[in-house]
Amino acid sequence: MFPVVHTRQLSESVFEMGIEAPRIAAKARAGQFLMVRTTGRGERIPLTFSDWSEGEGWIRFIFMRVGKTTHELSHLSVGDSLADVVGPLGVPTHTEPVGRVAIVGGGVGAAVAFPVARAMAQAGSEVSVILGARTRELLVLQDEIAALPGVTLTVVTDDGTAGEKGLVTSPLKRLCEAGSIDRAFAVGPAIMMKFCAATAREYNVPITVSLNPIMVDGTGMCGACRVTVGGQTRFGCVEGPDFDGLAVDWEELMSRQRIYADDERAADSEFSRGCSCHL
Amino acid sequence: MPPNKPRHKPSRDPRTPMPERAAEVRRGDFDEVASGYSSDDAYREAMRCLQCNNPTCEAGCPVNIRIKDFVGAIIEGQPRRGVEILKERNALPAVCGRVCPQEEQCEAACVLAKKGDPVAIGRLERYLGDFDLACELEHRCVPETAEASGYRCAVVGSGPAGLACAGELARLGHEVTVFESLHAPGGVLTYGIPEFRLPKAIVEAEVGLLEEAGVRIVCDEVIGRIATVEELMTDEGFDAVFIGTGAGLPHFLGIPGENLNGVYSANEYLTRVNLMGAYEFPARADTPVWRGRKVAVVGAGNVAMDAARTAIRLGADEVFLVYRRTEEEMPARREEVHHAKQEGVEFKLLCSPLEITGSNGWVTGIVATRMELGETDESGRRAPVCVLGSDFEIECDTVVIAAGTGANPLTADAAPELERSRRGYIVTDDDGATSTPGVYAGGDIVTGAATVILAMGAGKKAARAMDVWMHQRTES
Ligand SMILES: Cc1cc2nc3c(=O)[nH]c(=O)nc-3n(C[C@H](O)[C@H](O)[C@H](O)COP(=O)(O)OP(=O)(O)OC[C@H]3O[C@@H](n4cnc5c(N)ncnc54)[C@H](O)[C@@H]3O)c2cc1C
Ligand SMILES: Cc1cc2nc3c(=O)[nH]c(=O)nc-3n(C[C@H](O)[C@H](O)[C@H](O)COP(=O)(O)OP(=O)(O)OC[C@H]3O[C@@H](n4cnc5c(N)ncnc54)[C@H](O)[C@@H]3O)c2cc1C
Ligand code: FES
């Protein structure tokens, strides 16, 4: 069992959680993820580290409440435990110095953008972070990212309630156009990453994306997480989650993410019926 | 011979049938198909054994279980002693009694097999394994362990290879920790082989007895990510390491349409259903599985049979098995083929998928071509050849691909320095020693996908070699 040592509600549907897991904390690297199971009957879901402390033995992640498992997670508080936490999984993001890099984080993608920006800046890259969300409420880790040394932050919201009004692709386009970045990194909803990749392609800027296919084991055993990159089938959990954004088959990824949408709606509405936060 | 012991007079009865639930009933649930011998059945069957002076059956067993003696114990009405004899060599008799291909091993070597039906050794093994598990926990048979040696061993992977190795190391007096990446131990026994063939409670109970014997099992730790094999030895102080990570990487066919929604690897399909309990979604489990109405399973091994029979139980109207050779060449156990047919799986033989078709991202069918058998190939079987222009379409909404597996991909990160074969399997000597001193390996990660008992045999053999290696190193 993995004890919960920290919880914080960041917005109506976004939560931060810290758990005690010293062995994982000792190995965590930016861009890697965990597989988490709340209870003995629970689903295994992937969540990315947003932060960790080797010294204090904890890891943190940020999650959006979208279905039953994240809903259940959102009800836990300090003193509760998670049945299972496995990690660190996936190949760490390449954070070695690449000159000037733009990191785009959409929605809870900020959970990944934060440690990646921190690691890249520490390694000596010049980092611009573009943080986007539908509305001000849903912006995540804005202050933490703004406080990172060597990082400049641009905030964008769809409705203009914070930062500039528009989509994350506009500031990305400006940076590309001005020739002021050598590389881009994007993490967030698939549709956002797809458009970031399209923007990068226009200006011949290489772009890495952190994909989020549906997973089961997270260890390369089942193939649920397969994505097509450059015409080849790749396993997101062991070969990713980072891939070349210019080579990803986005339509397939988005289609595969919806496989269980109906089932999962059913499971969550069943769960919500007995749940105080929906009263 | 002791004076009051009567000479054994073998009976000439026919082989005692295994009681099974009717196909129409069992296809509606995940409960076990075969219900096991009663003690009368077991006695009747055991009495058929000739109690040969030179029991050839034992040579047919990859772990050389003392078959003659455990059958003898049943004849004498001493099941408890039978369990003890079994457990000397096999820590998982209730598992092996259910899933071993006995027809190719011990039973094939039984003297009676020459003239008729061999003794049902597997069923008797299962009988004793179940007898033990039916006892109160404190009365179950936990093999005795030697005095503590002071050595510490790590076992990577808790499949049959890892469990057998750990059990043997514990018996030899070593302190053993098993690391498992999933949240439950057992390997394929837990995530792959379905409940209706091997109830998970049986695996849990037999694994529990290993823990009783002192084996420590740590789940949720992926070696290669949380620590490498080298780190286990240098930082965590293990004296020797056994790698039993299995052949868990699913192969696909490499044909168009394989990433459509509704196309599964058998591993994913079976993992969702077995490990995650998706057949009870949403009432008792949170992991869903797509319940197709028309399911095509590609392949014809045990894995394909398990997937097809699972699809039936998930409520499919039609389940097809698509295989490019004939029933003759099927690698699955006869018994499983028979069960699959009884349950309504339809066999589409001599046809090979060319493409998976779809619309709106979902599977709608398979385009296949007819095959015929040509010359004998290097596998000793007649090779299937395409019949030109014979393409046809099989309509379906789910495809499960059971086309074999490869080396578990994380093993290379766990121990990059080890010598490997071209296909990524770990190279070892006969005792399981790898190219790195103190690091041993066995099971599917060495041989490629094989069987439970071969994996167990390899794990045990490696344990003995590790024992010798640890003592020798200290002495020199
Ligand atoms: C490598 C990786 C890292 C991730 N990191 C984070 C993270 O840091 N924070 C976070 O909030 N989420 C993250 N996700 C997504 C997260 O795993 C899903 O939101 C979660 O599985 C949903 O579980 P649920 O039971 O609450 O919802 P479900 O009931 O399972 O699903 C609800 C809805 O979300 C969709 N969905 C399910 N799984 C995914 C997925 N993997 N990606 C996208 N959509 C999905 C479903 O199709 C459905 O429509 C990550 C995914 C991956 C693969
Ligand atoms: C569906 C199916 C049906 C089968 N039916 C039969 C049958 O009827 N009879 C029979 O004899 N055989 C059968 N087999 C084959 C048999 O199950 C295997 O040969 C056997 O399980 C191999 O054992 P193993 O210990 O080598 O590996 P596995 O059983 O694969 O176990 C390996 C374990 O290691 C874990 N692991 C992997 N990598 C790591 C890591 N880096 N760190 C920590 N843990 C790790 C895995 O999670 C897994 O639990 C079947 C196989 C399948 C898939
Ligand atoms: S999640 Fe199973 S292989 Fe990646």
Side-chain angles (χ1 to χ4, degrees):
Chain A
M1 298 293 262
F2 293 79
V4 174
V5 292
H6 160 92
T7 57
R8 180 160 71 121
Q9 184 160 8
L10 305 182
S11 75
E12 200 210 308
S13 56
V14 181
F15 299 78
E16 182 177 66
M17 179 173 280
I19 49 181
E20 191 183 311
R23 273 171 77 78
I24 303 178
K27 291 286 173 155
R29 301 264 304 277
Q32 287 185 299
F33 66 94
L34 307 155
M35 295 297 296
V36 171
R37 215 164 65 112
T38 44
T39 65
R41 57 166 280 167
E43 198 173 1
R44 296 169 63 96
I45 65 160
L47 295 169
T48 313
F49 299 110
S50 62
D51 205 358
W52 59 91
S53 162
E54 182 175 356
E56 295 168 18
W58 52 258
I59 50 177
R60 277 185 193 175
F61 49 84
I62 288 176
F63 60 94
M64 164 118 78
R65 189 167 65 198
V66 294
K68 166 146 190 209
T69 309
T70 46
H71 196 157
E72 212 167 43
L73 269 181
S74 73
H75 282 289
L76 299 181
S77 43
V78 174
D80 293 330
S81 295
L82 302 187
D84 301 280
V85 179
V86 193
L89 296 171
V91 180
T93 297
H94 293 292
T95 50
E96 52 273 13
V98 288
R100 301 161 304 168
V101 57
I103 299 175
V104 185
V108 283
V112 185
F114 171 62
V116 169
R118 182 173 60 187
M120 285 187 174
Q122 270 168 6
S125 292
E126 201 180 293
V127 179
S128 313
V129 174
I130 301 167
L131 204 55
R134 271 201 325 277
T135 182
R136 175 196 185 88
E137 251 270 89
L138 295 174
L139 281 169
V140 175
L141 294 182
Q142 184 182 347
D143 300 338
E144 285 84 347
I145 294 173
L148 286 175
V151 171
T152 45
L153 174 66
T154 309
V155 171
V156 189
T157 49
D158 292 12
D159 62 2
T161 43
E164 68 180 78
K165 182 175 154 89
L167 301 173
V168 287
T169 39
S170 338
L172 179 65
K173 197 178 166 88
R174 282 202 304 272
L175 288 171
C176 290
E177 214 156 41
S180 50
I181 53 169
D182 305 309
R183 245 185 180 285
F185 176 90
V187 53
I191 189 80
M192 179 212 92
M193 293 191 279
K194 175 186 165 176
F195 283 107
C196 288
T199 305
R201 171 175 285 126
E202 237 179 275
Y203 298 95
N204 269 324
V205 172
I207 179 167
T208 302
V209 291
S210 175
L211 300 186
N212 54 347
I214 288 177
M215 296 187 177
V216 182
D217 61 308
T219 64
M221 183 268 281
C222 77
C225 61
R226 57 197 195 278
V227 289
T228 301
V229 182
Q232 276 188 314
T233 294
R234 310 282 297 272
F235 284 18
C237 68
V238 283
E239 299 178 86
D242 290 359
F243 289 102
D244 173 2
L246 300 180
V248 171
D249 181 338
W250 296 103
E251 301 314 314
E252 180 186 282
L253 174 72
M254 288 188 274
S255 168
R256 288 184 64 79
Q257 283 178 343
R258 286 191 296 268
I259 299 181
Y260 301 102
D262 292 343
D263 283 334
E264 277 160 350
R265 252 195 305 280
D268 192 43
S269 61
E270 182 71 18
F271 179 68
S272 305
R273 246 184 270 157
C275 162
S276 55
C277 64
H278 285 257
L279 289 178
Chain B
M1 178 164 298
N4 53 359
K5 194 167 171 184
R7 232 183 110 90
H8 169 63
K9 272 215 217 69
S11 88
R12 298 210 181 150
D13 290 349
R15 189 168 154 114
T16 316
M18 175 60 114
E20 279 178 2
R21 295 193 306 132
E24 314 76 68
V25 179
R26 66 185 198 237
R27 72 201 291 281
D29 63 43
F30 278 79
D31 295 345
E32 199 170 8
V33 165
S35 35
Y37 276 173
S38 65
S39 50
D40 285 351
D41 290 336
Y43 177 73
R44 192 159 0 112
E45 185 59 26
M47 281 301 287
R48 297 181 62 234
C49 173
L50 304 180
Q51 292 283 296
C52 309
N53 282 332
N54 172 24
T56 46
C57 53
E58 293 180 11
C61 171
V63 299
N64 303 115
I65 292 173
R66 287 167 52 202
I67 296 168
K68 173 185 172 181
D69 294 344
F70 89 68
V71 176
I74 299 176
I75 295 172
E76 285 163 25
Q78 302 213 31
R80 175 93 252 134
R81 197 164 61 79
V83 174
E84 283 161 17
I85 296 168
L86 254 176
K87 288 229 176 158
E88 264 175 36
R89 304 272 163 97
N90 183 350
L92 312 172
V95 168
C96 290
R98 284 172 169 79
V99 302
C100 268
Q102 293 99 6
E103 64 282 1
E104 295 168 11
Q105 300 174 354
C106 49
E107 294 180 12
C110 172
V111 172
L112 291 183
K114 288 193 191 121
K115 284 201 251 122
D117 281 330
V119 175
I121 300 168
R123 297 171 185 176
L124 293 174
E125 180 183 26
R126 165 176 168 168
Y127 165 74
L128 289 178
D130 287 356
F131 173 87
D132 189 40
L133 294 180
C135 295
E136 296 283 325
L137 193 59
E138 62 272 23
H139 298 305
R140 289 186 194 160
C141 172
V142 177
E144 272 176 41
T145 53
E147 213 177 296
S149 68
Y151 293 115
R152 295 178 65 227
C153 306
V155 169
V156 184
S158 67
L163 292 174
C165 180
E168 190 66 11
L169 287 167
R171 248 163 65 89
L172 294 166
H174 307 304
E175 190 189 318
V176 195
T177 307
V178 179
F179 296 95
E180 168 56 48
S181 55
L182 293 173
H183 57 261
V188 173
L189 306 178
T190 299
Y191 76 72
I193 303 181
E195 180 78 13
F196 55 81
R197 231 160 38 86
L198 177 62
K200 298 313 144 213
I202 300 279
V203 181
E204 277 165 35
E206 291 204 325
V207 171
L209 286 174
L210 280 174
E211 291 184 282
E212 271 314 282
V215 171
R216 186 168 162 253
I217 301 181
V218 180
C219 288
D220 294 327
E221 293 211 355
V222 183
I223 303 306
R225 295 281 195 244
I226 198 115
T228 61
V229 167
E230 198 186 336
E231 285 166 336
L232 289 176
M233 294 180 86
T234 52
D235 304 349
E236 303 196 15
F238 288 103
D239 297 292
V241 178
F242 175 79
I243 305 178
T245 49
L249 172 77
H251 285 160
F252 288 89
L253 301 169
I255 60 175
E258 274 188 303
N259 293 345
L260 285 164
N261 292 348
V263 182
Y264 285 103
S265 74
N267 268 11
E268 180 186 355
Y269 196 63
L270 293 169
T271 299
R272 282 182 179 272
V273 175
N274 296 315
L275 178 70
M276 306 310 299
Y279 63 99
E280 298 191 300
F281 177 91
R284 280 197 288 278
D286 297 340
T287 305
V289 66
W290 167 243
R291 292 177 180 239
R293 311 254 39 118
K294 284 190 178 200
V295 181
V297 176
V298 182
N302 286 326
V303 182
M305 297 303 151
D306 284 346
R309 297 171 69 198
T310 295
I312 294 262
R313 284 163 174 77
L314 289 175
D317 298 329
E318 291 173 82
V319 177
F320 313 112
L321 199 102
V322 181
Y323 181 50
R324 58 197 187 118
R325 306 184 198 239
T326 71
E327 201 169 322
E328 237 4 44
E329 290 83 21
M330 285 191 180
R333 292 181 67 189
R334 290 299 120 199
E335 188 182 325
E336 306 309 333
V337 173
H338 175 67
H339 281 148
K341 280 190 175 167
Q342 278 183 333
E343 290 165 9
V345 175
E346 196 185 312
F347 287 32
K348 290 194 184 288
L349 303 174
L350 286 171
C351 59
S352 177
L354 297 177
E355 181 182 350
I356 300 171
T357 51
S359 95
N360 294 324
W362 283 85
V363 173
T364 53
I366 293 181
V367 177
T369 171
R370 302 234 175 262
M371 309 293 283
E372 54 190 16
L373 291 185
E375 303 291 307
T376 305
D377 65 12
E378 63 280 12
S379 75
R381 300 178 298 179
R382 291 175 61 198
V385 212
C386 272
V387 179
L388 282 180
S390 67
D391 300 2
F392 67 105
E393 184 154 356
I394 304 168
E395 199 188 304
C396 59
D397 57 11
T398 309
V399 177
V400 181
I401 297 177
T405 50
N408 184 298
L410 280 174
T411 311
D413 293 324
E417 64 283 1
L418 295 185
E419 187 187 336
R420 269 158 227 283
S421 72
R422 206 165 29 85
R423 295 164 70 192
Y425 296 113
I426 297 176
V427 175
T428 68
D429 69 8
D430 279 351
D431 289 333
T434 68
S435 56
T436 301
V439 179
Y440 291 74
D444 286 3
I445 188 63
V446 170
T447 54
T451 62
V452 171
I453 195 71
L454 286 173
M456 290 182 69
K460 237 168 84 165
K461 206 164 178 190
R464 302 224 185 89
M466 288 161 80
D467 178 66
V468 170
W469 185 81
M470 290 186 295
H471 282 105
Q472 273 174 356
R473 192 184 53 157
T474 317
E475 278 155 25
S476 62

